[in-house]
Amino acid sequence: FYATSIKKEKSRFSRHGFLFVFRDRTEEQKMDQVKDELVSTVSHELRTPLSSILGFMELLRYRQPTPEKTKRYIQIVHDEAKRLTTLLNDFLDIQRMEGGKQEYAFKPFSLRQLLLETIEHFSETAETHTIHVHLNDDPLLIFADEDKVKQVIINLLSNAIKYSPSSDHIDVRLEQSADQAILTVRDYGLGIPQNAFDKLFTKFYRVDNSDVRKIGGTGLGLAICKEIIESHGGAISVESELNHGSTFTIVLELDPRKDFEK
Ligand code: ADP
């Protein structure tokens, strides 16, 4: 298309000299950069679980390990395969969000109930940390996409555990303030340097220090959380002190309609 239009223009203007065609490439360059980051993150993050799965499968196939070891290896293969599924889902989510194609299924539900169910389910796999829950009996009814809010809660809980390797518990608090529900997830781990706060919720961003590098990740989880929460008219924020832990807070409007009960 460009070639033909330039040719036409050339013939029209040929008697007067040159025609320069400028095209704004900023958007294209931004997309190229996103793609490059995606490819390098995908290849890096897929490699570790895949080689672990292949390695343990080889052991199972050729080494005839004891029943105890067999059980452990199968558990590792299972966990790594689950990690791959989460990675893939994060990549798909980010791509959908980039293209404005993310759809939300809003309905009324109790945030209290969702939080308790999610934590109960999550605690079964979180062996290293105990989750302390602080809440009262208020159901805190919101009008939102239940699966997506659950995804945000799981992301925050996973990060709290992942980034606090030398502590053994996290605190989750659910409160009401005026017409808002306020959910906080507090850990006592690595913490986050202040100069990282404003980049923390952008895609692919990871704090650049050796502790964080040792722990795998894509830098997509918090970007997905922000997108989901803001699409619900809510807000997500962080407070943290390096080496003392972090608190992530999400605020969501309560459902203003009083005519339903769960
Ligand atoms: P990922 O964990 O896959 O790297 P996230 O988007 O969830 O991606 O988080 C982005 C970055 O924010 C992490 O790489 C880490 O540096 C920092 N971070 C997130 N949650 C915590 C936390 N609870 N404690 C310390 N650092 C955190």
Side-chain angles (χ1 to χ4, degrees):
F1 169 77
Y2 279 103
T4 50
S5 60
I6 288 169
K7 233 200 239 154
K8 259 192 219 150
E9 299 291 347
K10 253 192 186 164
S11 58
R12 204 149 36 103
F13 287 90
S14 53
R15 270 183 299 140
H16 307 285
F18 296 102
L19 171 79
F20 294 97
V21 179
F22 294 100
R23 199 149 52 105
D24 182 7
R25 289 217 21 168
T26 347
E27 269 310 306
E28 280 175 44
Q29 274 162 351
K30 253 199 241 159
M31 281 312 288
D32 287 347
Q33 200 189 336
V34 169
K35 276 187 201 149
D36 287 350
E37 276 176 300
L38 199 65
V39 170
S40 87
T41 311
V42 170
S43 39
H44 181 259
E45 285 303 312
L46 293 189
R47 192 164 289 142
T48 325
L50 272 179
S51 50
S52 169
I53 289 173
L54 289 173
F56 283 102
M57 290 307 271
E58 295 282 288
L59 287 179
L60 287 167
R61 220 151 66 124
Y62 299 115
R63 292 283 165 88
Q64 280 148 12
T66 59
E68 208 174 81
K69 278 191 178 162
T70 303
K71 206 171 151 204
R72 213 177 71 226
Y73 295 168
I74 291 175
Q75 183 66 46
I76 295 173
V77 170
H78 171 266
D79 292 350
E80 294 295 310
K82 248 180 92 179
R83 201 168 131 196
L84 285 178
T85 313
T86 311
L87 277 178
L88 190 64
N89 285 337
D90 280 357
F91 293 134
L92 292 176
D93 275 348
I94 274 289
Q95 214 188 17
R96 266 197 295 267
M97 287 168 182
E98 289 284 304
K101 292 200 185 104
Q102 184 64 57
E103 284 176 7
Y104 295 97
F106 287 83
K107 66 169 192 185
F109 63 91
S110 155
L111 184 56
R112 178 185 193 276
Q113 198 172 320
L114 176 71
L115 180 67
L116 288 176
E117 282 165 10
T118 309
I119 288 180
E120 194 184 322
H121 193 216
F122 191 85
S123 300
E124 285 167 21
T125 53
E127 289 160 357
T128 49
H129 292 65
T130 314
I131 303 172
H132 298 301
V133 190
H134 312 263
L135 40 66
N136 63 23
D137 289 339
D138 292 341
L140 297 190
L141 300 169
I142 61 172
F143 189 69
D145 185 319
E146 195 166 12
D147 287 340
K148 296 290 170 201
V149 175
K150 184 174 177 174
Q151 189 180 350
V152 172
I153 297 171
I154 290 176
N155 268 339
L156 296 182
L157 293 176
S158 314
N159 278 351
I161 289 175
K162 199 162 96 167
Y163 296 107
S164 58
S166 49
S167 85
D168 63 357
H169 76 285
I170 59 181
D171 284 304
V172 176
R173 195 173 294 277
L174 182 62
E175 290 164 324
Q176 177 175 353
S177 168
D179 49 3
Q180 293 174 324
I182 302 174
L183 174 66
T184 54
V185 177
R186 165 123 180 75
D187 69 63
Y188 303 88
L190 301 180
I192 297 161
Q194 280 235 335
N195 64 6
F197 285 5
D198 56 340
K199 290 167 277 184
L200 212 60
F201 297 95
T202 55
K203 56 184 177 296
F204 300 114
Y205 179 79
R206 305 198 73 216
V207 171
D208 189 17
N209 66 37
S210 60
D211 284 335
V212 170
R213 269 193 301 274
K214 265 186 264 162
I215 302 166
T218 56
L220 292 178
L222 288 179
I224 293 172
C225 290
K226 182 177 158 76
E227 169 73 30
I228 293 174
I229 293 300
E230 290 186 350
S231 299
H232 283 78
I236 182 164
S237 59
V238 62
E239 281 166 81
S240 181
E241 200 183 331
L242 205 55
N243 301 320
H244 286 91
S246 313
T247 306
F248 283 85
T249 304
I250 62 174
V251 179
L252 286 167
E253 292 292 313
L254 291 174
D255 194 324
R257 300 165 312 158
K258 301 274 180 254
D259 56 350
F260 75 85
E261 282 296 326
K262 193 162 180 188

